[in-house]
Amino acid sequence: FQLQASGGGLVEPGGSLRLSCVASDFSFADYAVGWSRQAPGKEREGVSCMSSSGSYTFYSDHVEGRFTISRDNAKRTVYLQMNSLIPEDTAVYYCATSWTCGTYQSGSITSGAGVKDWGTGTQVTVSS
């Protein structure tokens, strides 16, 4: 994998986690990057995306106002700060680069269309 995700874990409802994803590809800054998630028995869902310059962000309706995406191109890293977590956020979270955030907005992330590189997954479990 070109991208390595970390930061998942077990957290109680209302808690917070910060996911990180480090890219080994030095062209990281040229691409949009985002997070998707997949819960058992469910389709992959696009969660958030940030454009290459950081000037545009996308959030799914399920996480807007609770999650914040950011990136540090010098460190080739993208972050997902997750606050006010709820049990429905339980899933394996994946980072991926894409040519644009349209991959996430259109729902193409579900099939992987438009993805340049996938990252490893990190498990997030929200439970009391």
Side-chain angles (χ1 to χ4, degrees), residues 72-77:
D72 184 333
N73 285 340
K75 295 182 178 179
R76 302 194 306 277
T77 302

Side-chain angles (χ1 to χ4, degrees), residues 6-30:
S6 63
L10 173 63
V11 63
E12 292 187 347
S16 298
L17 283 174
R18 188 194 196 203
L19 306 184
S20 300
C21 179
V22 182
S24 58
D25 188 342
F26 283 89
S27 66
F28 173 80
D30 296 335

Side-chain angles (χ1 to χ4, degrees), residues 17-123:
L17 283 174
R18 188 194 196 203
L19 306 184
S20 300
C21 179
V22 182
S24 58
D25 188 342
F26 283 89
S27 66
F28 173 80
D30 296 335
Y31 298 95
V33 63
W35 294 89
S36 60
R37 67 187 182 186
Q38 188 162 21
K42 294 188 177 181
E43 277 193 331
R44 186 188 305 273
E45 171 194 9
V47 173
S48 183
C49 179
M50 178 171 273
S51 63
S52 57
S53 66
S55 62
Y56 176 79
T57 56
F58 161 80
Y59 295 97
S60 76
D61 291 343
H62 297 148
V63 307
E64 187 151 24
R66 300 188 296 120
F67 290 11
T68 302
I69 191 170
S70 60
R71 66 188 295 166
D72 184 333
N73 285 340
K75 295 182 178 179
R76 302 194 306 277
T77 302
V78 60
Y79 305 97
L80 187 68
Q81 177 66 44
M82 306 187 296
N83 298 330
S84 302
L85 285 161
I86 59 177
E88 290 77 15
D89 294 321
T90 296
V92 179
Y93 284 70
Y94 299 90
C95 57
T97 51
S98 57
W99 282 265
T100 73
C101 283
T103 299
Y104 292 80
Q105 286 176 282
S106 67
S108 296
I109 192 67
T110 299
S111 66
V115 169
K116 177 184 180 294
D117 292 307
W118 283 106
T120 56
T122 185
Q123 175 71 47

